[in-house]
Each structure stands twice: as C-alpha cells, then as structure tokens.
Amino acid sequence: MFSWVALSQQPVTLNLLMTAPDAEPWRQGLIRDFEAENPGIRINLVEGPNATNLLEDLYTSSFILGESPYDLINMDVIWTSKFAAAGWLLPLGDRISKQELAAFSSQDVEGGRYQDKLYRIPVRSDVGMLYYREDLIKQAGLQPPETFDDLMRISQVLQKKKQVNWGYVWQGRQYEGLVAMFAEVLKGFGGFWVNPDTLEVGLDRPETLRAIEFLRSTVKEGVSPPGVTTYQEEDTRRLFQNGQVAFLRSWPYAWPLAQAENSPIRGKIAIKPMVHAPGQTGAACLGGWGLGIAKSSKHPEEAWKAIQYFTSREAQRRFILTAGYVPSRRDLFTDPEIVAKYPHYPQLLEVVDNAVLRPPIAQYAQTSDILQRYLSAALSGRMNSEPAMQAAAAETRRLLGAGGRGS
C-alpha cells in the first residue's frame, strides 16, 4: 500500500549545473563527501558546456522560462549582479555572520553582493596575474618588473639576447577575456570603466587611452606577436610554456600546467601582481566561482546546508589539495600542507588582495559587449583609439541611462 511515511523519507535532490571539466573533481570530491555526511540530500550534478558564456545562457533561459530546475546556482563572479537584479536569487545575508564572511577574501565576498545584499558565497577564487621567466631575468642580472616600462625594457633585453622570441603575451581576442585583461591595465594607469555607485563611465578619459596605447605599443615595438589581438588564454599559455615568451598575463590554472613533469619551463617561473604606471598600483582582475540559491528552489534549507559544506574550511582544503583550485578562504593560502604542494600560494594571496572587480551592475553583459567591440577595433588598428573609446563611452552611457552622463 502507498505510504506517506516512505515518501517523507525520500532524499531531497538538489540540481546543480556546472562546466564539464569542473564536474568530475566535484563529483569525486566535494559531492561524494557531502552525500556521505548528509544521507537525506542528493546532489544531481548537471554537466554543461565548457564555455562559461554558454553556461550563463543555459541558466538565463531556464529562469526566463520560469521553470528552472536548478536549486544551487554555480556563478561566475560577473553573473551575480545580473541574476540578482532579475530576481532569480535568494538573498543570503541573514544566513551568515560577519565573522564567518571575514574568513573569505574580501574581494571575493564583494563579488557576491549586489546593491549591498549578499547573493553568493565564494567557493574558489581566480585572479589575473603576471607570470615571468625568473631564470632568464636572474641570468640577465635584472629585477622583476614593477612598471609597464620595466616590462617593455626587460622584454627587449631578453629578445636581443635571443633568449625568447617574444617579450609579453596577453589575451587580445574579442571576448570576455579581453575585458578581464584590460581591467587590470586600466586600473594600472589609474583609470576606471564604470563606477557601480554613480554609473559614471570612464572609457573616454586620458587614462583609458594611455592603457590602450601601452597595449598597442607592445605589438608596434615587437614585444608582443602581431597575432596577439586574436589570442585567448590557451594560445598565450602554449607560447609561454614552450619557452618562447618572457612574460604572460594569465590565470592561476596555468601554474600547474607550466610546472608539470614534461613542461620545458618547469621550475623556471614565478608570479607577481600585474605591473602598473609609476605612482599607481597593480591590479588583478577577479574571476572565480561561488554558489547561490535559486529563488524558485523548493529546497532552500537543504541548498544552504550544501553551500555551508562546500565552502567550509575542511571541504575546501581537501578540494584544493586534490584539484589544485585557488581557495576563497584566506587562511588556506598559507596552510602548511597546501603550501608544500603549491609553494606559490602565499604570493597568490598578495595578488588576490589587489583584485579589481569588473563593474557589478545589472547590465554588465551588454556593457562588456560594447567595450569588447570597440577595444578590439582599437587594438587591432581597425579604429583609432580616441574615436573608438568616445563611441564606447557614449554607447555605455546610453545603456546605463541618466546615471551614466558624467564624463
């Protein structure tokens, strides 16, 4: 006979969507351990496409159709404002104390807020940084670069000595990676893109033009290859890892690959925060992933229990040791066992502390699209920088409405 008692003891299933490469380490680590400790909750991991923009489209269309199957929302830092503004997420601020939040890197927490409300708890951090050939710089009797000029000068010295083909590689293709890279250079020249509080737009200011001029000069002076304006992360990493390049702007994922057994540059590299103009500070574009709860979820309490577990110190520590991700909890960057395996993590914390957020505004996706188009045109020489940035600024101000009028 049908039993209501049996029904109430059915485990609750929480649906979670993530990219295919991330799914395996999650399944083998975090999820397996969580389910063992919480027999009443199952996590159904849905494997999505590897491209984050396609993953965002999947989430977006499921919410717009009104029948989203997802309970836990695994979010790239730049989705928070859009998803929160659309009313798709539950606010989490009353579920977690200030002390608990203080354990995470402050920029990662900031990346989970929209209009002062918290919607996302960081699971793993990600920051742009400068990789360099420590061995070649030492051999040449030089110090690692601090400024954009140092970077050019050292590149040219090493190129003249025929030790590398290229000085510096960066991501110049028209995609989200381009604006992530540019956010760092822009901040390094003292500029800004959009002020999230006032919606003021800084794309047509002199600092922005100087930032573009620097990137164009890397190609003009032969420090960067002419094809750099078509490169994405993997194109740049391969050139650097093959020993052809002195400096690489990339994300933490490149480190374990560059240090693998068969890597030509194993043991020869170091990292530092991005260089800057004199009198300014270097900036690292914040990436990274965190978890939120869908407003449409029928199981918010179980979803919160899962988030607490996945972001806990012990679970994160095990996950980092097995999967090599970057922690979102500050103390794990200096945990002895983690440092024994990843000696660059204490330095990585210094980079994380210099992180710069892409504007946390509801219209981020359209704002990024505008900048990508005009920036790509300016860097590849299809347009002059000044008219390109004036057009980008004007379009961005129109998009953001009255608040974006200031120049």
Side-chain angles (χ1 to χ4, degrees):
M1 178 163 157
F2 182 73
S3 159
W4 286 107
V5 178
L7 191 65
S8 69
Q9 287 168 348
Q10 291 290 323
V12 164
T13 298
L14 301 174
N15 292 316
L16 170 61
L17 170 71
M18 63 174 58
T19 63
D22 282 340
E24 213 34 47
W26 270 74
R27 204 174 267 130
Q28 299 306 324
L30 290 173
I31 288 173
R32 193 188 58 201
D33 296 345
F34 171 75
E35 289 184 342
E37 282 185 33
N38 297 275
I41 308 174
R42 289 275 147 288
I43 306 281
N44 174 37
L45 195 57
V46 182
E47 288 191 26
N50 191 15
T52 47
N53 59 320
L54 297 179
L55 203 66
E56 183 186 6
D57 293 345
L58 274 179
Y59 270 128
T60 301
S61 52
S62 80
F63 283 126
I64 288 171
L65 292 169
E67 277 301 302
S68 175
Y70 308 114
D71 299 282
L72 291 163
I73 310 299
N74 185 41
M75 281 179 279
D76 189 341
V77 67
I78 55 175
W79 303 349
T80 311
S81 48
K82 171 182 160 178
F83 287 14
W88 298 336
L89 302 172
L90 280 181
L92 305 174
D94 56 354
R95 295 175 181 265
I96 188 166
S97 71
K98 279 199 170 73
Q99 288 86 338
E100 287 173 296
L101 276 178
F104 297 95
S105 69
S106 59
Q107 291 298 71
D108 278 311
V109 172
E110 214 35 58
R113 290 190 202 280
Y114 174 65
Q115 293 186 343
D116 289 339
K117 283 196 172 147
L118 184 71
Y119 292 96
R120 166 187 175 276
I121 309 292
V123 175
R124 52 185 269 222
S125 192
D126 209 6
V127 275
M129 64 184 80
L130 188 64
Y131 288 81
Y132 62 95
R133 286 290 300 278
E134 191 175 32
D135 58 332
L136 299 181
I137 289 177
K138 275 190 176 148
Q139 281 163 24
L142 300 167
Q143 291 298 317
E146 287 302 321
T147 65
F148 294 112
D149 290 344
D150 294 343
L151 180 72
M152 295 294 280
R153 182 177 46 80
I154 296 168
S155 292
Q156 287 163 330
V157 167
L158 298 178
Q159 283 176 289
K160 277 203 189 81
K161 294 180 164 214
K162 299 270 188 285
Q163 288 182 307
V164 287
N165 299 351
W166 305 107
Y168 180 44
V169 288
W170 41 277
Q171 296 79 40
R173 182 185 290 201
Q174 185 179 321
Y175 76 122
E176 184 60 35
L178 172 67
V179 296
M181 176 281 302
F182 187 65
E184 297 168 353
V185 179
L186 185 56
K187 181 81 167 54
F189 277 98
F192 71 96
W193 176 4
V194 175
N195 177 327
D197 300 324
T198 61
L199 298 186
E200 188 186 351
V201 177
L203 292 179
D204 47 1
R205 294 166 72 104
E207 297 89 343
T208 310
L209 298 175
R210 285 201 281 276
I212 295 175
E213 207 27 66
F214 162 70
L215 289 167
R216 286 181 67 152
S217 74
T218 66
V219 179
K220 252 194 290 232
E221 298 187 30
V223 164
S224 301
V228 77
T229 53
T230 66
Y231 290 177
Q232 288 181 256
E233 279 85 357
E234 279 297 87
D235 308 305
T236 56
R237 179 190 66 82
R238 285 192 195 102
L239 280 174
F240 181 69
Q241 195 162 327
N242 292 339
Q244 300 177 49
V245 176
F247 297 101
L248 161 73
R249 183 264 166 217
S250 192
W251 303 92
Y253 88 95
W255 179 277
L257 296 169
Q259 297 287 30
E261 294 278 332
N262 58 355
S263 166
I265 57 169
R266 184 179 188 191
K268 299 175 178 176
I269 62 168
I271 55 168
K272 67 184 306 298
M274 184 44 76
V275 291
H276 50 84
Q280 300 292 339
T281 47
C285 182
L286 186 77
W289 293 81
L291 288 168
I293 302 174
K295 202 179 240 177
S296 53
S297 171
K298 294 182 175 64
H299 308 292
E301 296 312 313
E302 289 85 353
W304 177 246
K305 202 169 185 181
I307 289 179
Q308 282 180 299
Y309 181 86
F310 295 148
T311 59
S312 70
R313 188 178 188 279
E314 241 346 279
Q316 217 180 74
R317 192 170 172 275
R318 280 202 298 268
F319 193 44
I320 290 156
L321 286 168
T322 52
Y325 288 136
V326 178
S328 58
R329 285 181 168 269
R330 293 183 64 84
D331 68 337
L332 291 178
F333 284 92
T334 50
D335 177 280
E337 202 182 337
I338 290 174
V339 175
K341 193 167 181 182
Y342 306 110
H344 63 301
Y345 271 26
Q347 249 181 313
L348 200 50
L349 181 59
E350 188 193 331
V351 179
V352 170
D353 285 337
N354 283 322
V356 53
L357 289 166
R358 285 162 281 179
I361 52 175
Q363 308 90 327
Y364 177 77
Q366 301 95 302
T367 308
S368 172
D369 182 63
I370 293 167
L371 179 55
Q372 286 174 39
R373 282 186 283 117
Y374 288 107
L375 185 56
S376 173
L379 292 173
S380 58
R382 296 194 304 276
M383 278 180 90
N384 286 330
S385 306
E386 201 162 346
M389 285 302 108
Q390 281 165 347
E395 254 186 67
T396 306
R397 287 185 188 118
R398 272 202 301 280
L399 169 74
L400 299 180
R405 274 204 299 265
S407 68

